[in-house]
Amino acid sequence: MRYLPAVIVDVVLVLIFAAIGRASHEEDPAGFLLTAWPFLIALVIGHLLAALLPGRPRRPWSMLWGTVVWVVTVAGGMLIRVLSGDTAEVPFIVVATIVLGVFLVGWRAIAALLRRRRAASGAAGAAVEEDPGPSTGSGAAAVADADDSGDAIR
């Protein structure tokens, strides 16, 4: 079940991609499912392939997972479109590749950045909590005391 949130986010982003695309061509945005369905099928296949990647733990929010999903979604979606009788013109392929890359890999990059920040702030907080205090003359508390008094730390 830990894969489900990432799949849901990806599905929503593919639907947004399709709706924006239809609206930008002054087509009925309500018909976005006609544009989205090949990419949604490819997206599911991309998640299944990403789940087969070697290594533990498998993280559906990781950049590698997102890259696999992105490549399979674009390539598979275009292939399914063509096989179903629709077109895949070069400008559409370029736009779909860029937009889906930003969407499917972008949210994972943002999530990774937030995780790193949270981990860094958590580690800094843990270091201050673990510090035995100024009696030893070292650690974060000593630095904080020196900073408060205006003394230079050497």
Side-chain angles (χ1 to χ4, degrees):
M1 281 307 202
R2 72 179 192 181
Y3 302 108
L4 192 57
V7 173
I8 290 170
V9 169
D10 289 343
V11 165
V12 168
L13 291 171
V14 168
L15 293 173
I16 291 170
F17 156 73
I20 291 170
R22 291 192 60 98
S24 71
H25 292 286
E26 298 178 2
E27 295 175 5
D28 179 18
F32 69 95
L33 287 177
L34 295 172
T35 303
W37 75 267
F39 296 99
L40 292 172
I41 291 172
L43 177 80
V44 170
I45 294 169
H47 274 281
L48 292 173
L49 288 175
L52 297 175
L53 290 174
R56 297 274 188 240
R58 292 188 185 113
R59 296 183 180 108
W61 55 86
S62 73
M63 297 292 289
L64 177 59
W65 188 290
T67 302
V68 170
V69 169
W70 167 46
V71 170
V72 172
T73 300
V74 172
M78 294 300 169
L79 181 63
I80 294 168
R81 275 180 65 92
V82 170
L83 291 176
S84 69
D86 210 341
T87 63
E89 300 293 327
V90 172
F92 177 67
I93 294 169
V94 171
V95 169
T97 301
I98 292 169
V99 172
L100 289 173
V102 169
F103 280 8
L104 300 176
V105 179
W107 77 260
R108 288 171 169 89
I110 292 168
L113 208 105
L114 293 175
R115 280 193 310 275
R116 284 190 190 113
R117 280 191 177 178
R118 194 174 310 140
S121 66
V128 170
E129 290 175 14
E130 293 175 10
D131 184 21
S135 62
T136 62
S138 66
V143 171
D145 289 343
D147 285 342
D148 290 340
S149 67
D151 295 336
I153 301 172
R154 297 172 199 219

